[in-house]
């Protein structure tokens, strides 16, 4: 049986991704079919952000991964041997 | 036909269909609501795939049984590897 922290983190991830999926699906697929004066629209950003935000998130992820690799590589650079 | 070719073919078909709808290349006179749903589709599918991956990882973390012995052994091996690499000069 998986214990305490593992279960918490695991099911936390599941819950978070379900939330994200639901919000994003309503934003992208449901909202265009809802009248523009319905109150639900006030809970969502303008449509452009549904493309910009994932794009920015992907960029940040790439930056973090690249920086980590760069830092570890830099720390382990060795001077060239003189023959 | 190789799996790669199958995938490339399938993705191209879907991509062309998406392009036709989004950029109105066939002059289909689609109602604007359907175009509104169509143009974010690539990013939407990517996000959905990401959510599915995250949920799968999370679920498997939550339901994987603990293995005490394997955990101890792994910790010992990690320490061994760290010491070995430090000796060889890697700085973490």
């Amino acid at each position: 049986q998986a214990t305490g922290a593992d279960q918490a983190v695991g099911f936390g991830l599941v819950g978070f991704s379900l939330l994200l999926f639901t919000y994003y699906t309503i934003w992208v697929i449901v909202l265009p079919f809802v009248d523009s004066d319905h109150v639900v629209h006030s809970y969502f950003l303008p449509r452009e952000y549904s493309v910009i935000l994932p794009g920015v998130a992907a960029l940040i992820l790439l930056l973090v991964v690249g920086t980590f690799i760069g830092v570890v590589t830099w720390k382990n650079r060795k001077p060239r041997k003189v023959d | 036909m190789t799996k790669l070719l199958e995938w490339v073919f399938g993705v191209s078909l879907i991509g062309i269909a998406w392009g036709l709808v989004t950029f109105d290349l066939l002059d289909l006179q689609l109602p604007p609501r359907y175009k509104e749903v169509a143009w974010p589709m690539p990013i939407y599918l990517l996000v959905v795939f990401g959510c599915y991956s995250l949920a799968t990882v999370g679920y498997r973390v939550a339901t994987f049984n603990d293995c005490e012995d394997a955990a101890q052994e792994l910790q010992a091996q990690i320490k061994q590897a760290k010491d070995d690499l430090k000796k060889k000069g890697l700085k973490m």
Side-chain angles (χ1 to χ4, degrees), chain B residues 4-61:
Chain B
L4 176 66
L5 274 178
E6 275 181 36
W7 271 86
V8 168
F9 190 61
V11 170
S12 315
L13 271 178
I14 297 176
I16 291 173
W18 174 80
L20 285 176
V21 173
T22 304
F23 302 107
D24 226 357
L25 296 172
L26 283 181
D27 221 2
L28 286 168
Q29 315 281 11
L30 276 172
R33 292 184 172 194
Y34 290 96
K35 294 180 68 179
E36 270 295 298
V37 173
W39 73 260
M41 266 306 126
I43 297 100
Y44 174 77
L45 290 172
L46 221 65
V47 171
V48 168
F49 174 70
C51 284
Y52 168 73
S53 307
L54 205 66
T56 308
V57 168
Y59 180 72
R60 299 217 178 135
V61 166

Side-chain angles (χ1 to χ4, degrees), chain A residues 28-76:
Chain A
V28 173
I29 297 189
V30 174
L31 281 193
F33 297 100
V34 170
D35 287 328
S36 48
D37 49 2
H38 195 289
V39 72
V40 73
H41 282 279
S42 57
Y43 290 101
F44 293 90
L45 288 167
R47 216 162 156 67
E48 296 71 49
Y49 288 97
S50 71
V51 168
I52 295 175
L53 287 179
V56 168
L59 227 81
I60 294 178
L61 185 72
L62 278 175
L63 272 170
V64 168
V65 171
T67 308
F68 174 76
I69 294 177
V71 164
V72 175
T73 309
W74 178 262
K75 276 206 192 148
N76 292 289

Side-chain angles (χ1 to χ4, degrees), chain A residues 1-15, chain B residues 54-66:
Chain A
Q1 244 302 303
T3 48
D6 286 350
Q7 277 184 320
V9 170
F11 288 125
L13 278 180
V14 173
Chain B
L54 205 66
T56 308
V57 168
Y59 180 72
R60 299 217 178 135
V61 166
T63 53
F64 195 81
N65 297 328
D66 279 353

